[in-house]
mmCIF file with all atom_site columns, all heavy atoms in Angstrom:
data_model
loop_
_atom_site.group_PDB
_atom_site.id
_atom_site.type_symbol
_atom_site.label_atom_id
_atom_site.label_alt_id
_atom_site.label_comp_id
_atom_site.label_asym_id
_atom_site.label_entity_id
_atom_site.label_seq_id
_atom_site.pdbx_PDB_ins_code
_atom_site.Cartn_x
_atom_site.Cartn_y
_atom_site.Cartn_z
_atom_site.occupancy
_atom_site.B_iso_or_equiv
_atom_site.pdbx_formal_charge
_atom_site.auth_seq_id
_atom_site.auth_comp_id
_atom_site.auth_asym_id
_atom_site.auth_atom_id
_atom_site.pdbx_PDB_model_num
ATOM 1  N N   . ALA A 1 815 ? 8.276  12.916 -23.516 1.00 97.00 ? 835 ALA A N   1
ATOM 2  C CA  . ALA A 1 815 ? 7.030  13.576 -23.574 1.00 97.00 ? 835 ALA A CA  1
ATOM 3  C C   . ALA A 1 815 ? 6.111  12.652 -24.391 1.00 97.00 ? 835 ALA A C   1
ATOM 4  O O   . ALA A 1 815 ? 6.459  12.134 -25.508 1.00 97.00 ? 835 ALA A O   1
ATOM 5  C CB  . ALA A 1 815 ? 7.057  14.942 -24.396 1.00 97.00 ? 835 ALA A CB  1
ATOM 6  N N   . GLY A 1 816 ? 4.913  12.396 -23.801 1.00 96.00 ? 836 GLY A N   1
ATOM 7  C CA  . GLY A 1 816 ? 3.944  11.416 -24.428 1.00 96.00 ? 836 GLY A CA  1
ATOM 8  C C   . GLY A 1 816 ? 4.011  10.064 -23.796 1.00 96.00 ? 836 GLY A C   1
ATOM 9  O O   . GLY A 1 816 ? 3.210  9.227  -24.041 1.00 96.00 ? 836 GLY A O   1
ATOM 10 N N   . GLN A 1 817 ? 4.964  9.808  -22.937 1.00 97.00 ? 837 GLN A N   1
ATOM 11 C CA  . GLN A 1 817 ? 5.012  8.548  -22.164 1.00 97.00 ? 837 GLN A CA  1
ATOM 12 C C   . GLN A 1 817 ? 4.106  8.686  -20.971 1.00 97.00 ? 837 GLN A C   1
ATOM 13 O O   . GLN A 1 817 ? 3.705  9.784  -20.637 1.00 97.00 ? 837 GLN A O   1
ATOM 14 C CB  . GLN A 1 817 ? 6.460  8.199  -21.748 1.00 97.00 ? 837 GLN A CB  1
ATOM 15 C CG  . GLN A 1 817 ? 6.638  6.816  -21.191 1.00 97.00 ? 837 GLN A CG  1
ATOM 16 C CD  . GLN A 1 817 ? 8.040  6.429  -21.098 1.00 97.00 ? 837 GLN A CD  1
ATOM 17 O OE1 . GLN A 1 817 ? 8.648  5.997  -22.039 1.00 97.00 ? 837 GLN A OE1 1
ATOM 18 N NE2 . GLN A 1 817 ? 8.600  6.397  -19.966 1.00 97.00 ? 837 GLN A NE2 1
ATOM 19 N N   . VAL A 1 818 ? 3.647  7.526  -20.494 1.00 97.00 ? 838 VAL A N   1
ATOM 20 C CA  . VAL A 1 818 ? 2.610  7.550  -19.521 1.00 97.00 ? 838 VAL A CA  1
ATOM 21 C C   . VAL A 1 818 ? 2.723  8.441  -18.322 1.00 97.00 ? 838 VAL A C   1
ATOM 22 O O   . VAL A 1 818 ? 1.817  9.124  -17.785 1.00 97.00 ? 838 VAL A O   1
ATOM 23 C CB  . VAL A 1 818 ? 2.141  6.062  -19.082 1.00 97.00 ? 838 VAL A CB  1
ATOM 24 C CG1 . VAL A 1 818 ? 3.376  5.496  -18.313 1.00 97.00 ? 838 VAL A CG1 1
ATOM 25 C CG2 . VAL A 1 818 ? 0.993  6.079  -18.225 1.00 97.00 ? 838 VAL A CG2 1
ATOM 26 N N   . TYR A 1 819 ? 4.041  8.436  -17.739 1.00 96.00 ? 839 TYR A N   1
ATOM 27 C CA  . TYR A 1 819 ? 4.247  9.296  -16.638 1.00 96.00 ? 839 TYR A CA  1
ATOM 28 C C   . TYR A 1 819 ? 4.348  10.775 -17.029 1.00 96.00 ? 839 TYR A C   1
ATOM 29 O O   . TYR A 1 819 ? 4.259  11.695 -16.202 1.00 96.00 ? 839 TYR A O   1
ATOM 30 C CB  . TYR A 1 819 ? 5.604  9.053  -15.956 1.00 96.00 ? 839 TYR A CB  1
ATOM 31 C CG  . TYR A 1 819 ? 5.755  7.568  -15.386 1.00 96.00 ? 839 TYR A CG  1
ATOM 32 C CD1 . TYR A 1 819 ? 6.637  6.701  -15.838 1.00 96.00 ? 839 TYR A CD1 1
ATOM 33 C CD2 . TYR A 1 819 ? 4.738  7.291  -14.437 1.00 96.00 ? 839 TYR A CD2 1
ATOM 34 C CE1 . TYR A 1 819 ? 6.616  5.397  -15.371 1.00 96.00 ? 839 TYR A CE1 1
ATOM 35 C CE2 . TYR A 1 819 ? 4.808  5.929  -13.848 1.00 96.00 ? 839 TYR A CE2 1
ATOM 36 C CZ  . TYR A 1 819 ? 5.743  5.066  -14.294 1.00 96.00 ? 839 TYR A CZ  1
ATOM 37 O OH  . TYR A 1 819 ? 5.807  3.762  -13.803 1.00 96.00 ? 839 TYR A OH  1
ATOM 38 N N   . THR A 1 820 ? 4.591  11.139 -18.268 1.00 97.00 ? 840 THR A N   1
ATOM 39 C CA  . THR A 1 820 ? 4.683  12.421 -18.734 1.00 97.00 ? 840 THR A CA  1
ATOM 40 C C   . THR A 1 820 ? 3.809  12.623 -19.947 1.00 97.00 ? 840 THR A C   1
ATOM 41 O O   . THR A 1 820 ? 4.281  12.777 -21.185 1.00 97.00 ? 840 THR A O   1
ATOM 42 C CB  . THR A 1 820 ? 6.157  12.838 -19.141 1.00 97.00 ? 840 THR A CB  1
ATOM 43 O OG1 . THR A 1 820 ? 6.712  11.786 -20.010 1.00 97.00 ? 840 THR A OG1 1
ATOM 44 C CG2 . THR A 1 820 ? 6.971  12.976 -17.938 1.00 97.00 ? 840 THR A CG2 1
ATOM 45 N N   . PRO A 1 821 ? 2.475  12.491 -19.901 1.00 97.00 ? 841 PRO A N   1
ATOM 46 C CA  . PRO A 1 821 ? 1.614  12.729 -20.984 1.00 97.00 ? 841 PRO A CA  1
ATOM 47 C C   . PRO A 1 821 ? 1.602  14.098 -21.594 1.00 97.00 ? 841 PRO A C   1
ATOM 48 O O   . PRO A 1 821 ? 1.982  15.013 -20.868 1.00 97.00 ? 841 PRO A O   1
ATOM 49 C CB  . PRO A 1 821 ? 0.233  12.246 -20.359 1.00 97.00 ? 841 PRO A CB  1
ATOM 50 C CG  . PRO A 1 821 ? 0.332  12.752 -18.998 1.00 97.00 ? 841 PRO A CG  1
ATOM 51 C CD  . PRO A 1 821 ? 1.713  12.398 -18.615 1.00 97.00 ? 841 PRO A CD  1
ATOM 52 N N   . ASP A 1 822 ? 1.179  14.224 -22.868 1.00 98.00 ? 842 ASP A N   1
ATOM 53 C CA  . ASP A 1 822 ? 1.207  15.492 -23.419 1.00 98.00 ? 842 ASP A CA  1
ATOM 54 C C   . ASP A 1 822 ? 0.183  16.409 -22.707 1.00 98.00 ? 842 ASP A C   1
ATOM 55 O O   . ASP A 1 822 ? 0.427  17.717 -22.655 1.00 98.00 ? 842 ASP A O   1
ATOM 56 C CB  . ASP A 1 822 ? 0.759  15.426 -24.931 1.00 98.00 ? 842 ASP A CB  1
ATOM 57 C CG  . ASP A 1 822 ? 1.801  14.679 -25.737 1.00 98.00 ? 842 ASP A CG  1
ATOM 58 O OD1 . ASP A 1 822 ? 3.026  14.812 -25.376 1.00 98.00 ? 842 ASP A OD1 1
ATOM 59 O OD2 . ASP A 1 822 ? 1.458  14.082 -26.741 1.00 98.00 ? 842 ASP A OD2 1
ATOM 60 N N   . ASN A 1 823 ? -0.918 15.967 -22.214 1.00 98.00 ? 843 ASN A N   1
ATOM 61 C CA  . ASN A 1 823 ? -1.844 16.799 -21.609 1.00 98.00 ? 843 ASN A CA  1
ATOM 62 C C   . ASN A 1 823 ? -2.427 16.180 -20.312 1.00 98.00 ? 843 ASN A C   1
ATOM 63 O O   . ASN A 1 823 ? -2.765 14.970 -20.316 1.00 98.00 ? 843 ASN A O   1
ATOM 64 C CB  . ASN A 1 823 ? -3.021 17.119 -22.578 1.00 98.00 ? 843 ASN A CB  1
ATOM 65 C CG  . ASN A 1 823 ? -2.633 17.881 -23.743 1.00 98.00 ? 843 ASN A CG  1
ATOM 66 O OD1 . ASN A 1 823 ? -2.385 19.180 -23.646 1.00 98.00 ? 843 ASN A OD1 1
ATOM 67 N ND2 . ASN A 1 823 ? -2.469 17.197 -24.943 1.00 98.00 ? 843 ASN A ND2 1
ATOM 68 N N   . ARG A 1 824 ? -2.640 16.965 -19.327 1.00 98.00 ? 844 ARG A N   1
ATOM 69 C CA  . ARG A 1 824 ? -3.329 16.520 -18.095 1.00 98.00 ? 844 ARG A CA  1
ATOM 70 C C   . ARG A 1 824 ? -4.242 17.696 -17.671 1.00 98.00 ? 844 ARG A C   1
ATOM 71 O O   . ARG A 1 824 ? -3.914 18.843 -17.937 1.00 98.00 ? 844 ARG A O   1
ATOM 72 C CB  . ARG A 1 824 ? -2.468 16.235 -16.921 1.00 98.00 ? 844 ARG A CB  1
ATOM 73 C CG  . ARG A 1 824 ? -1.661 14.985 -17.107 1.00 98.00 ? 844 ARG A CG  1
ATOM 74 C CD  . ARG A 1 824 ? -0.700 14.862 -15.802 1.00 98.00 ? 844 ARG A CD  1
ATOM 75 N NE  . ARG A 1 824 ? -1.516 14.549 -14.513 1.00 98.00 ? 844 ARG A NE  1
ATOM 76 C CZ  . ARG A 1 824 ? -0.921 14.552 -13.442 1.00 98.00 ? 844 ARG A CZ  1
ATOM 77 N NH1 . ARG A 1 824 ? 0.401  14.700 -13.293 1.00 98.00 ? 844 ARG A NH1 1
ATOM 78 N NH2 . ARG A 1 824 ? -1.683 14.511 -12.282 1.00 98.00 ? 844 ARG A NH2 1
ATOM 79 N N   . ALA A 1 825 ? -5.456 17.461 -17.205 1.00 97.00 ? 845 ALA A N   1
ATOM 80 C CA  . ALA A 1 825 ? -6.373 18.480 -16.881 1.00 97.00 ? 845 ALA A CA  1
ATOM 81 C C   . ALA A 1 825 ? -7.352 18.086 -15.793 1.00 97.00 ? 845 ALA A C   1
ATOM 82 O O   . ALA A 1 825 ? -7.705 16.844 -15.651 1.00 97.00 ? 845 ALA A O   1
ATOM 83 C CB  . ALA A 1 825 ? -7.195 18.997 -18.178 1.00 97.00 ? 845 ALA A CB  1
ATOM 84 N N   . ASN A 1 826 ? -7.793 19.085 -14.972 1.00 96.00 ? 846 ASN A N   1
ATOM 85 C CA  . ASN A 1 826 ? -8.863 19.000 -14.084 1.00 96.00 ? 846 ASN A CA  1
ATOM 86 C C   . ASN A 1 826 ? -9.895 19.912 -14.404 1.00 96.00 ? 846 ASN A C   1
ATOM 87 O O   . ASN A 1 826 ? -9.628 21.125 -14.563 1.00 96.00 ? 846 ASN A O   1
ATOM 88 C CB  . ASN A 1 826 ? -8.363 19.105 -12.628 1.00 96.00 ? 846 ASN A CB  1
ATOM 89 C CG  . ASN A 1 826 ? -7.623 17.932 -12.101 1.00 96.00 ? 846 ASN A CG  1
ATOM 90 O OD1 . ASN A 1 826 ? -7.285 17.011 -12.807 1.00 96.00 ? 846 ASN A OD1 1
ATOM 91 N ND2 . ASN A 1 826 ? -7.134 18.012 -10.775 1.00 96.00 ? 846 ASN A ND2 1
#
Side-chain angles (χ1 to χ4, degrees):
Q837 191 163 282
V838 62
Y839 297 119
T840 48
D842 292 333
N843 296 283
R844 290 178 63 188
N846 287 4

